[in-house]
Amino acid sequence: MTDNPTLRIETLQEFKITGLLTLFRNALHDDFDGMTRIPQVWEKLHERENEIENISPGFAYGVMMGEENGLTKYVAGFATKADFVAPEEMIDILIPEGLWAIFTHRGSLENLQDSNLYAYEEWLPNSEYEMRMSPHIEFYSPK
């Protein structure tokens, strides 16, 4: 287990992410396939990242967008300008302005789930905040 992630509460302005969508069965299902599907979509995105204009190398977003027919929607992508149009087979997601709890995970991706569990199962239920209906965002940056 890793140390608990650091936390800050911050208002973020609206921004757009362009990327590739995948659907997976979450950990509540016996046939959970997120640990396969998510790395696959990241690999496909990196093969096509030259199609997305003005990205900052090493900076990327993973976005959980709720469920559809029992499958979790996940987008791997990059922040893009408002007027950028997603290439074929990619989608644009508008992340709304709002107050966000930002957790900084330290360590390997193998331990990322520990930070997620802390945020959702320990911190949130014991905080003064409530989760709103909006995408859940992972932000990846160079070390």
Side-chain angles (χ1 to χ4, degrees):
M1 175 110 182
T2 60
D3 293 333
N4 290 339
T6 57
L7 165 71
R8 70 182 192 276
I9 304 296
E10 190 173 314
T11 299
L12 299 178
Q13 300 301 310
E14 179 181 270
F15 66 101
K16 187 171 91 171
I17 294 172
T18 300
L20 291 170
L21 172 70
T22 191
L23 302 173
F24 68 91
R25 290 177 295 280
N26 67 33
L28 299 176
H29 296 88
D30 291 336
D31 55 351
F32 169 63
D33 64 352
M35 298 304 283
T36 303
R37 305 280 302 185
I38 292 173
Q40 288 172 344
V41 77
W42 279 106
E43 185 175 320
K44 289 178 187 174
L45 178 69
H46 288 301
E47 290 170 1
R48 296 187 59 195
E49 69 184 59
N50 63 330
E51 298 175 44
I52 302 175
E53 297 175 0
N54 300 316
I55 62 171
S56 298
F59 293 89
Y61 293 86
V63 184
M64 299 268 202
M65 301 186 340
E67 291 197 4
E68 183 176 292
N69 299 323
L71 297 173
T72 300
K73 297 188 290 185
Y74 181 90
V75 173
F78 300 103
T80 53
K81 293 183 179 181
D83 61 350
F84 180 75
V85 178
E88 189 173 328
E89 300 176 356
M90 291 191 193
I91 66 169
D92 291 322
I93 306 166
L94 201 57
I95 305 299
E97 176 182 352
L99 191 64
W100 293 84
I102 301 169
F103 294 87
T104 301
H105 170 78
R106 303 272 185 233
S108 73
L109 290 177
E110 292 173 358
N111 297 329
L112 181 60
Q113 187 62 15
D114 293 341
S115 291
N116 288 331
L117 291 173
Y118 171 78
Y120 291 108
E121 295 182 2
E122 291 183 42
W123 179 81
L124 184 60
N126 296 301
S127 75
E128 62 188 73
Y129 299 95
E130 293 182 13
M131 189 166 33
R132 69 175 180 276
M133 297 306 294
S134 67
H136 298 216
I137 304 167
E138 304 163 347
F139 173 66
Y140 298 97
S141 64
K143 294 181 179 184

